Amino acid sequence: MATSNATTPASGYVQPEIDVPALTEVLDGEYAGIRDLVRTNLVTHSSVLEEADELGVDAFRERVREIVVAMAATGQTGMGFPREYGGGGDVGASIAAFETLAFGDLSVLVKTGVQFGLFGGAILHLGTERHHAAHLPDLITGRLMGCFAMTETGHGSNVQALGTVARYDAGTREFVLTTPDDGARKDYIGNAARHAELGVVFAQLEVNGTSEGVHAFLVPLRSGGRVLPGVHIEDDGRKMGLNGVDNGRIRFDGVRVPREALLNRFADVTPEGAYTSPIENPNRRFFTMLGTLVQGRVSVGGAGVGVAKVALTLAVKYAVRRRQFEANPGAEEQLLLDYGLHQRRLLPLVARTYALHFAQDVVRAQLHEVFSGTEDDPQARRRLESRAAGTKALGTWHATRTVQECREACGGAGYLAVNRFAALKGDSDVFTTFEGDNHVLLQLVAKGLLTDHASEFEDLDQLGTVRYVTGLAVETVMERTSAHKLLERVRDLLPGGDEWDREAGLLDPEYQLAMVRYREEHMLAGVARRLKRGIDQKRDPGTVFSQVQDHVIALARAHVERLVLEAFVDGVRALPEGGNKAALGLLCDLFALSTIEADRAWFMEHGRLTVQRSKAITREVNDLCRKVRPLAADLVDAWGVPPEMLRAPDLLG
């Protein structure tokens, strides 16, 4: 449905008309075909939304496995694997498919991610031809189910400190895997409790009594459905959500696997027991290995945006049909979305979801370039890792916040399980935790900023980062990190406090970008100065870093929000003139100004926002919400969430 044309005579504002199919085409981009295949598959298996509530845990797990295998048969889940093994040979398409799959049941999404993204991705990226030929064809079809056993009970984000040990026995040419204590048991491992026959297991490699660090091994877990000797598996049991995924705990009691079980792209052990690697530095080797798994973070960030789209589609559609209270005596009760407060609650979230969609487009394209070999610069990989980490953090936090706000905006009906919010909330909440805790990921982003993704990047732990940054003058940090001389550009745009405030237009994207760039650069300089001051005072580097962590996280968030705004501005500028461009322009302004408004205290503290200007931004945000209001239904329709996925009879009729 196209919105009607409306003009406000006083302002000359003309309400844009949205061409919904054309806007969907823009959003689907080059991957419209794979996205439509996923939508078709979601509709085919839409009964899973009811089955999630109706079936017991064991039966639901089996149902989810059946659906994943059925979807695999359509080619949907194998897009990222090489064609010679039955895949689609298109990394970008595999991410786009996963993003779209987030419109449906999230147990199906996560089991797909475990099987094809984590398990399959590890074999593809860490293994070599012998592993690919032996396992990829069956893995791609779902005939071989597997798991990705990295996380341990005592070690989540700190992968370098994993406790599982794999010792090489030169006499038998085997690795012997052992779990030394409860803290080293593999935990929360998807597919482990029921279905995985083979695991990619991360363990400390020991050769001739020397520890060579964490490496990945292929370890058989089951045969014919029976757990193999030496392998002990427990069920993690019911969780807050995602109960269609069989998470489990694994222990190894002297399990032997052949020498060829080592995924040996980056390191190998000769039959006689000599350790070899093309990457001499052990830290660099470790981070290179982890960097190949960045696809998971890109996928989860995109899935978070997909979840937000479903929640907002439900809440906006409800708000344009549900009436509550009459505005005037005797008048018809008013639609929820006609209330200014309801607009304020939902429409900035719509704008932020669009912004994150365009930011996800950028990180997906970078991933495709790096993993397709068209961009093989080590710095490009580091930028990708940083951007993926930051986009995942902001995208998944946004999903959690959006689902909650939309549930509340749908009142009591939103609390009923039949209307999908219970599933969305319970199933998506852990997105902020898996594939990297968001706060840990933002520290990774800040580390990249402070070191400018330098060649030393992989070698630096937390303390190394402090020493590296404080070993440079603060001005050098700024010089190295300001790749585009952002600070100078910002100064050019900000000739002088209040006078500049009065002259710059709030709806000028250059003003909006200058504000978020200034915030980022100022925070970066501040963190560098605080680190240096602490070291100059001869304080312990670990303590110094710990005391500036709040500043570090704020810097990383500011950096990622700047990237998101740039992606949105670029996306809007690339559109042809017309109603769709005008509508997305309103959303871009709404995202930018609501972002500045949310951090107005910082901008005022640092002299970039007067009291008058701050109030003007709030008035502008309210005005933008009023302008977006008539477009809201079309804007959520353009996301293309299949109606069958909007299982909310009490909300949508």
Side-chain angles (χ1 to χ4, degrees), residues 261-326:
L262 173 65
L263 294 176
N264 63 332
R265 178 178 173 190
F266 298 113
D268 211 343
V269 176
T270 67
E272 297 73 28
Y275 179 81
T276 63
S277 173
I279 306 171
E280 285 189 26
N281 184 298
N283 278 332
R284 184 161 300 162
R285 187 187 314 129
F286 171 75
F287 282 108
T288 301
M289 177 184 74
L290 284 195
T292 62
L293 307 176
V294 69
Q295 185 172 329
R297 285 175 185 162
V298 177
S299 298
V300 173
V305 178
V307 168
K309 289 175 180 177
V310 175
L312 282 163
T313 301
L314 290 169
V316 167
K317 284 179 171 292
Y318 182 64
V320 296
R321 67 185 291 267
R322 174 81 154 103
R323 295 182 180 274
Q324 191 86 289
F325 302 109
E326 65 271 13

Side-chain angles (χ1 to χ4, degrees), residues 466-650:
V466 176
R467 293 191 182 101
Y468 177 85
V469 172
T470 54
L472 303 169
V474 173
E475 292 71 23
T476 308
V477 175
M478 293 303 299
E479 178 67 26
R480 291 185 63 164
T481 53
S482 299
H484 304 294
K485 297 286 185 285
L486 289 185
L487 201 56
E488 286 78 359
R489 283 172 55 189
V490 169
R491 285 186 183 130
D492 291 343
L493 284 164
L494 316 182
D498 294 352
E499 181 182 341
W500 168 78
D501 269 356
R502 284 195 299 272
E503 290 179 0
L506 290 180
L507 302 182
D508 179 354
E510 289 304 324
Y511 162 76
Q512 298 161 359
L513 289 166
M515 289 289 276
V516 295
R517 286 168 176 160
Y518 179 85
R519 178 180 61 166
E520 177 189 346
E521 294 293 335
H522 196 287
M523 285 183 175
L524 179 59
V527 170
R529 286 193 188 95
R530 287 181 67 188
L531 290 172
K532 185 165 176 57
R533 189 184 312 131
I535 296 301
D536 288 348
Q537 293 168 354
K538 306 288 190 259
R539 287 157 58 206
D540 176 69
T543 303
V544 171
F545 187 85
S546 179
Q547 290 177 346
V548 303
Q549 273 180 309
D550 59 331
H551 203 155
V552 164
I553 296 298
L555 161 63
R557 287 191 79 136
H559 168 70
V560 183
E561 283 193 328
R562 188 259 296 175
L563 294 179
V564 172
L565 180 57
E566 286 181 345
F568 201 179
V569 169
D570 290 345
V572 173
R573 283 175 173 163
L575 293 174
E577 295 300 325
N580 287 352
K581 182 172 186 171
L584 291 197
L586 293 173
L587 285 182
C588 192
D589 288 335
L590 179 54
F591 167 67
L593 294 184
S594 58
T595 297
I596 294 168
E597 182 190 45
D599 207 12
R600 70 169 109 197
W602 188 93
F603 287 107
M604 294 174 82
E605 286 172 355
H606 294 83
R608 291 274 58 91
L609 206 57
T610 62
V611 172
Q612 294 78 11
R613 189 71 159 177
S614 175
K615 291 178 177 178
I617 285 176
T618 294
R619 287 193 299 272
E620 194 66 61
V621 169
N622 287 335
D623 186 54
L624 286 165
C625 283
R626 285 190 289 272
K627 288 174 177 173
V628 171
R629 156 57 186 107
L631 313 174
D634 285 352
L635 289 168
V636 299
D637 280 344
W639 288 327
V641 181
E644 292 82 357
M645 296 299 100
L646 303 175
R647 189 204 58 166
D650 295 339

Side-chain angles (χ1 to χ4, degrees), residues 22-233:
L23 185 52
T24 302
E25 197 175 313
V26 168
L27 297 175
D28 282 358
E30 63 185 298
Y31 299 114
I34 185 68
R35 292 188 193 277
D36 282 340
L37 171 62
V38 176
R39 289 183 177 108
T40 299
N41 286 342
L42 286 172
V43 172
T44 299
H45 301 287
S46 61
S47 63
V48 71
L49 298 178
E50 280 80 30
E51 291 158 352
D53 292 335
E54 296 165 356
L55 298 176
V57 171
D58 288 340
F60 184 47
R61 287 172 168 178
E62 291 304 319
R63 178 69 180 126
V64 168
R65 187 193 64 79
E66 288 171 8
I67 291 172
V68 170
V69 173
M71 287 184 171
T74 70
Q76 168 195 314
T77 58
M79 292 304 299
F81 295 99
R83 293 184 186 278
E84 58 264 36
Y85 301 112
D90 190 331
V91 178
S94 73
I95 305 296
F98 196 79
E99 293 162 4
T100 312
L101 192 59
F103 291 161
D105 176 80
L106 297 181
S107 285
V108 172
L109 174 93
V110 171
K111 197 166 185 82
T112 297
V114 167
Q115 169 72 10
F116 305 101
L118 294 177
F119 173 61
I123 293 175
L124 176 64
H125 296 302
L126 300 180
T128 52
E129 171 59 29
R130 69 186 185 213
H131 306 109
H132 298 166
H135 302 298
L136 289 185
D138 284 347
L139 181 161
I140 290 169
T141 63
R143 284 193 297 270
L144 170 67
M145 298 294 284
C147 67
F148 180 87
M150 177 183 278
T151 301
E152 295 179 354
T153 305
H155 293 99
S157 299
N158 188 4
V159 178
Q160 266 181 305
L162 293 179
T164 305
V165 178
R167 293 184 178 89
Y168 185 64
D169 181 344
T172 61
R173 298 185 178 181
E174 293 172 315
F175 294 103
V176 185
L177 278 87
T178 305
T179 304
D181 53 53
D182 282 350
R185 70 186 178 188
K186 298 299 178 182
D187 213 344
Y188 326 120
I189 308 302
N191 273 3
R194 289 286 183 275
H195 296 139
E197 296 171 22
L198 185 66
V200 172
V201 178
F202 289 79
Q204 301 285 353
L205 170 61
E206 282 190 14
V207 183
N208 297 321
T210 301
S211 176
E212 301 291 355
V214 173
H215 292 66
F217 302 83
L218 287 176
V219 182
L221 304 177
R222 289 181 176 86
S223 178
R226 298 176 65 87
V227 177
L228 293 169
V231 178
H232 305 278
I233 298 179

